Amino acid sequence: MSEESIKSYFDKVDSLKSSFISRLADAVAIPSISAEPERRPDVRRMGLWLESQLKELGATDIVLKDLGIQHDTADLPLPPIVLARYGTDPDKKNILIYGHYDVQPAQLEDGWNTDPFTLIEKDDVFYGRGATDDKGPVVAWLNMLQAHKELGLEIPVNLVFCFEGMEESGSLGLEELIIAEKDEYFKGVDAVCISDNYWLGTKHPVLTYGVRGCNYYSITIEGPAADLHSGLFGGVVHEPMIDLSHIFSKLVTPKGEILIPGIQEMVAPLTTAEDKLYDAINFDLEGFEGNIGSKTVIQDNVKDALQARWRNPSLSIHGVEGAFYGAGAKTVIPAKVIGKFSIRTVPDIESAKLDQIVIKYVEDIFATLGSKNKLKAELIHDGMYWVTDPHNWSFRAAAKATKAVWNVEPDYTREGGSIPITLSFQDVLKTSVILLPIGRGDDGAHSTNEKLDLVNYIQGTKTLGAYLHYLSQEEKDA
Ligand code: BES
Ligand code: MN
Ligand code: MN
């Protein structure tokens, strides 16, 4: 594979721009929200859309793995995992591509400027739910196939696609599938590439070698048999929401310090060598503020902020099911509330031990309240952190691809977010994993007005293709 054919691929990508945009628009139009029960059919529809796209582009051995039923409150059917191959040449390396086709919830009323499920362009930026997380990158892989197909250019590696529809809800069923398919569908995989994260800032491309884990908990507090009038029963009953507020206040300080004893002790100490890595990153506090859209960063320097995001645990409080949340002033005492919080985990926190510490802590705090309500604290889902060596053959190929497209050396970053399946791929398939992002740090994943810049979409599609070309030439590490 010559530099010349990479160049021809780049030109083809440029010329297919409008076709790529309409493909992304089609993907965004399907509201595949895994967290909302009533949207589950749309998640499935998105999986079927991917199947038809893959078929049209010439993928083979396309299988929709049925994962059965999600055994919790609603007993919903799980969306299929879409598996496909592209090429089966025994002389080529086998690269597994993972992405997710589900998205976060989104409603116009949340503060979107335009309908979240209609891809809309303004000043060369595309807005829509999933534009960057993770439909843009998933569709970019499809674009890469289309460009090669239309050019008649051979892809120099064999591809194994694995697209799931439950990532935003804890990747239910995926780890079991990887274990089951380890010596079957996933046999012989040499490397895994995931494009499901973002540049650190808005200008400089990055390659990512770590993610935090995420253990997500719920606290259910039940008291009265039904919601009550606070005029009649305020001061008379133990209120679930008051109990919950007390518990919430004992989890974390306003400066982000986790108050649960025993967690910090498990965090791997910062070595001088690791500490130095942060000095080389192209980023500043203004960059953080730009990502956030306000000047509310806790730390007063970029190094501490990056360490807080990449290598330290954090605890966030997400919401309360059952609480009054609408406009106005309703004088209700909610009878049952479910508080939700999560902890981002880092090396060397032991997940099972963390769960035990956290649940016992919540129970102990509740016991001190002297409330007659009933409490249940439990884990909803967990996903492990992952950190790897950013200088292996896969990263070398990705660095060359980045250089070829953007004409700069990439920064090497870790992420504060989580992709629960990353470590499973590495451990079960005994292979290296790389995170190769397309979008920018200010794309607003999970937020309102999520976007993907056109240049990132197009150059990102180039980068993914170039990565495969350089991978085919790169010598695998021993
Ligand atoms: N694409 C994100 C992961 C991510 C987030 C990478 C931020 C880099 C920065 C992914 O779709 C995601 O949102 N993951 C969830 C996982 C959770 C449900 C366990 C997350 O991080 O909240
Ligand atoms: Mn994602
Ligand atoms: Mn996400």
Side-chain angles (χ1 to χ4, degrees):
M1 179 49 51
S2 64
E3 291 297 322
E4 206 174 306
S5 41
I6 294 182
K7 171 82 170 58
S8 70
Y9 168 69
F10 288 176
D11 291 344
K12 191 74 192 172
V13 169
D14 283 326
S15 77
L16 287 172
K17 190 167 90 180
S18 57
S19 157
F20 295 168
I21 292 168
S22 66
R23 181 175 284 124
L24 183 58
D26 290 348
V28 167
I30 304 175
S32 51
I33 305 166
S34 56
E36 294 179 353
E38 61 282 10
R39 293 294 196 186
R40 200 52 69 81
D42 293 312
V43 185
R44 181 178 173 78
R45 191 151 63 86
M46 186 67 205
L48 299 178
W49 180 86
L50 274 177
E51 178 192 32
S52 74
Q53 288 281 311
L54 286 161
K55 205 177 271 172
E56 206 177 297
L57 292 165
T60 59
D61 200 5
I62 306 176
V63 186
L64 266 59
K65 287 279 177 189
D66 180 9
L67 298 178
I69 299 293
Q70 179 182 350
H71 291 293
D72 55 18
T73 42
D75 278 350
L76 295 167
L78 288 166
I81 291 181
V82 180
L83 301 178
R85 294 184 196 285
Y86 203 91
T88 53
D89 183 339
D91 294 331
K92 290 179 179 172
K93 292 173 182 130
N94 302 305
I95 310 305
L96 188 149
I97 308 297
Y98 162 87
H100 65 91
Y101 63 81
D102 61 323
V103 294
Q104 284 284 316
Q107 286 177 321
L108 193 57
E109 304 83 79
D110 296 339
W112 283 75
N113 295 329
T114 55
D115 172 36
F117 298 102
T118 306
L119 189 74
I120 286 173
E121 184 264 352
K122 191 171 181 259
D123 302 331
D124 282 338
V125 180
F126 285 88
Y127 295 86
R129 178 53 94 219
T132 197
D133 184 16
D134 183 30
K135 287 180 174 173
V138 165
V139 165
W141 287 113
L142 302 177
N143 297 342
M144 180 279 296
L145 293 180
Q146 185 190 351
H148 281 83
K149 191 169 174 230
E150 291 197 14
L151 266 180
L153 179 64
E154 192 179 326
I155 296 179
V157 297
N158 301 318
L159 298 173
V160 181
F161 292 101
C162 174
F163 295 134
E164 71 157 320
M166 281 299 282
E167 194 274 345
E168 300 291 6
S169 299
S171 293
L172 301 180
L174 181 55
E175 178 165 38
E176 291 76 1
L177 177 114
I178 297 172
I179 293 170
E181 299 296 335
K182 164 167 94 84
D183 297 315
E184 305 290 332
Y185 208 101
F186 297 155
K187 191 170 162 45
V189 166
D190 295 294
V192 175
C193 181
I194 301 178
S195 185
D196 184 25
N197 66 307
Y198 325 101
W199 293 355
L200 181 56
T202 56
K203 293 191 192 80
H204 204 93
V206 311
L207 304 178
T208 304
Y209 64 98
V211 294
R212 292 195 290 184
C214 183
N215 288 25
Y216 203 115
Y217 304 94
S218 68
I219 303 174
T220 305
I221 303 181
E222 271 180 275
D227 287 1
L228 298 173
H229 190 304
S230 68
L232 299 180
F233 298 104
V236 179
V237 286
H238 288 288
E239 298 190 19
M241 194 63 197
I242 293 180
D243 293 352
L244 182 63
S245 310
H246 277 268
I247 296 173
F248 272 171
S249 75
K250 303 230 159 47
L251 296 177
V252 61
T253 71
K255 291 214 164 150
E257 292 134 347
I258 299 176
L259 293 170
I260 307 170
I263 297 179
Q264 196 55 45
E265 289 79 348
M266 290 193 278
V267 176
L270 179 69
T271 62
T272 326
E274 187 196 328
D275 195 50
K276 272 216 336 241
L277 292 177
Y278 293 84
D279 297 326
I281 306 286
N282 285 295
F283 206 51
D284 48 34
L285 262 194
E286 289 69 43
F288 263 108
E289 289 165 353
N291 290 177
I292 301 166
S294 74
K295 294 183 183 294
T296 51
V297 180
I298 294 173
Q299 293 75 20
D300 61 11
N301 65 82
V302 72
K303 189 164 177 172
D304 287 349
L306 284 175
Q307 291 186 358
R309 172 148 127 186
W310 293 355
R311 61 116 40 234
N312 288 323
S314 62
L315 189 155
S316 298
I317 296 177
H318 305 295
V320 182
E321 219 178 300
F324 166 57
Y325 65 89
K330 184 175 170 187
T331 55
V332 66
I333 298 174
K336 173 181 172 184
V337 291
I338 308 174
K340 316 270 178 82
F341 70 99
S342 72
I343 297 178
R344 296 286 166 171
T345 62
V346 295
D348 296 311
I349 291 177
E350 280 175 57
S351 178
K353 190 169 168 198
L354 177 72
D355 298 342
Q356 194 209 329
I357 291 175
V358 169
I359 289 168
K360 171 124 191 347
Y361 179 82
V362 170
E363 289 169 351
D364 287 350
I365 298 286
F366 181 70
T368 67
L369 302 181
S371 168
K372 292 182 187 167
N373 290 328
K374 278 206 299 274
L375 168 116
K376 190 162 172 55
E378 56 197 332
L379 176 79
I380 305 184
H381 60 63
D382 56 7
M384 274 299 279
Y385 52 79
W386 160 81
V387 183
T388 194
D389 156 36
H391 303 294
N392 65 38
W393 65 292
S394 177
F395 277 86
R396 292 197 296 273
K400 288 178 187 164
T402 304
K403 188 84 201 283
V405 173
W406 295 100
N407 212 15
V408 290
E409 297 293 336
D411 272 343
Y412 292 85
T413 60
R414 286 165 68 170
E415 276 289 5
S418 310
I419 306 171
I421 213 60
T422 315
L423 185 72
S424 311
F425 276 127
Q426 179 181 298
D427 286 358
V428 176
L429 302 184
K430 311 234 175 317
T431 176
S432 69
V433 182
I434 185 172
L435 262 53
L436 180 49
I438 284 184
R440 305 183 183 183
D442 67 346
D443 281 351
H446 296 207
S447 184
T448 50
N449 305 311
E450 177 179 346
K451 58 92 174 165
L452 181 63
D453 293 76
L454 177 63
V455 284
N456 284 60
Y457 185 44
I458 297 302
Q459 301 297 73
T461 297
K462 291 180 190 171
T463 306
L464 300 183
Y467 163 68
L468 300 179
H469 286 277
Y470 289 113
L471 256 190
S472 72
Q473 298 165 357
E474 198 69 40
E475 197 164 332
K476 261 185 87 170
D477 305 310

